[in-house]
Amino acid sequence: MKLQFIGVGAAIKTTHHGASAVVNGHILIDTPPACNALLRRYALLVDTIFITHLHGDHLGGLPFLLLEKYVDNNMKTLHIYGPDGLEEKIRLYFEAMFSELDVVKYPIFDSVRFHVVEPEVEIELCGLSVKPVLGRHAITSFGYVFRDDNVCVYFSGDTELCEPVLEAIDEAHCMVIEGTKKSGKLATHMTVEELLPIVRSYPEKMFYITHRQDYDASDISEHNLFFPEEGESCDVEHVKVNFHA
Ligand SMILES: [Zn+2]
């Protein structure tokens, strides 16, 4: 399974773009405000999107992605998976930001299919299964466990450290996991300090920290803990990870 980090930042207090990643070159996880420009920068053509939750730093780029698809007359079906209320929220974004683009008059949604996800109900894609894992956040928030014939990768989305997160870590070989701050404990989010004992207890697993506010992690050196930058990618194969800077 191939991962590429499209942004690694939190909502605020960061010099990074919002956290987003692409699986196997065509499946996007979350649509932060800059994602449309970043997908273009890395020449990625997305046909499937998984949204973790309906906060703006994970969703704010989706109207622009749909607008560009419409303007390009790209009729290829785009499948968007996410929590209940996602489609209504995107229609409200259009009303608020482009009130003249009446979505009834302009068929922006014609080639878009929204799918509501349910906790633990797996979705089968070409060669992959995807399991939504309910986290604990300010609103309903899912992580996703992607599995192919070889490996299992867990994307946490925004969440506190809680039982479903620990179970997903136990199941997966590789985590793309939020570490909003470096130290302490946060309501609705996780910190690197909280994650470190878990990282050390699974030395054979890889942990990529994303959704980061700006902090200096240069004093943290675990062989299986990484702080990826935008654009970096890795191939996850049989637990062994080849990292491309
Ligand atoms: Zn959030």
Side-chain angles (χ1 to χ4, degrees):
M1 202 181 305
K2 183 172 182 191
L3 313 181
Q4 185 163 15
F5 299 95
I6 303 304
V8 294
I12 54 169
K13 299 187 179 181
T14 179
T15 48
H16 300 290
H17 289 302
S20 177
V22 169
V23 174
N24 291 344
H26 69 105
I27 303 169
L28 178 65
I29 299 153
D30 277 340
T31 55
C35 77
N36 206 34
L38 295 175
L39 290 173
R40 185 169 283 276
R41 179 177 298 172
Y42 300 110
L44 292 161
L45 292 175
V46 162
D47 57 25
T48 308
I49 298 174
F50 283 85
I51 299 292
T52 58
H53 66 298
L54 305 187
H55 275 159
D57 56 319
H58 298 255
L59 203 60
L62 187 52
F64 300 95
L65 207 146
L66 298 184
L67 183 61
E68 183 169 304
K69 177 173 159 47
Y70 168 69
V71 168
D72 284 349
N73 201 25
N74 172 1
M75 295 308 290
K76 191 169 188 300
T77 302
L78 176 66
H79 293 276
I80 306 177
Y81 296 83
D84 193 21
L86 171 60
E87 180 174 358
E88 293 76 11
K89 185 78 111 177
I90 292 303
R91 288 179 185 270
L92 285 172
Y93 270 52
F94 267 100
E95 262 180 60
M97 295 195 297
F98 302 102
S99 54
E100 80 284 11
L101 285 179
D102 177 348
V103 292
V104 176
K105 190 168 159 197
Y106 297 90
I108 291 168
F109 292 85
D110 266 15
S111 58
V112 179
R113 297 286 170 272
F114 287 95
H115 307 268
V116 175
V117 302
E118 301 288 344
E120 310 293 320
V121 177
E122 293 198 19
I123 298 141
E124 297 296 329
L125 300 175
C126 44
L128 284 174
S129 73
V130 186
K131 184 172 73 175
V133 175
L134 191 59
R136 190 190 293 155
H137 192 46
I139 58 171
T140 300
S141 185
F142 289 98
Y144 293 104
V145 175
F146 282 68
R147 181 183 290 279
D148 65 15
D149 290 341
N150 298 317
V151 291
C152 185
V153 179
Y154 168 49
F155 296 83
S156 74
D158 284 9
T159 180
E160 285 180 16
L161 200 53
C162 57
E163 197 54 38
V165 171
L166 293 170
E167 285 171 11
I169 291 172
D170 197 55
E171 179 182 355
H173 302 114
C174 173
M175 327 300 149
V176 177
I177 196 160
E178 76 125 299
T180 301
K181 289 190 178 218
K182 184 178 180 184
S183 38
K185 190 167 164 41
L186 293 173
T188 74
H189 288 287
M190 294 187 282
T191 66
V192 181
E193 185 181 343
E194 280 181 291
L195 288 167
L196 267 178
I198 299 165
V199 171
R200 288 176 183 138
S201 70
Y202 289 107
E204 76 288 6
K205 301 189 182 205
M206 301 292 169
F207 293 80
Y208 294 89
I209 304 288
T210 183
H211 197 274
R212 311 191 304 258
Q213 294 186 357
D214 283 351
Y215 49 75
D216 178 10
S218 60
D219 58 331
I220 301 172
S221 62
E222 302 294 326
H223 75 279
N224 58 337
L225 179 63
F226 305 93
F227 296 86
E229 296 295 335
E230 177 198 305
E232 287 180 345
S233 62
C234 54
D235 298 309
V236 189
E237 293 172 10
H238 301 284
V239 192
K240 179 176 174 294
V241 175
N242 303 308
F243 199 59
H244 311 301

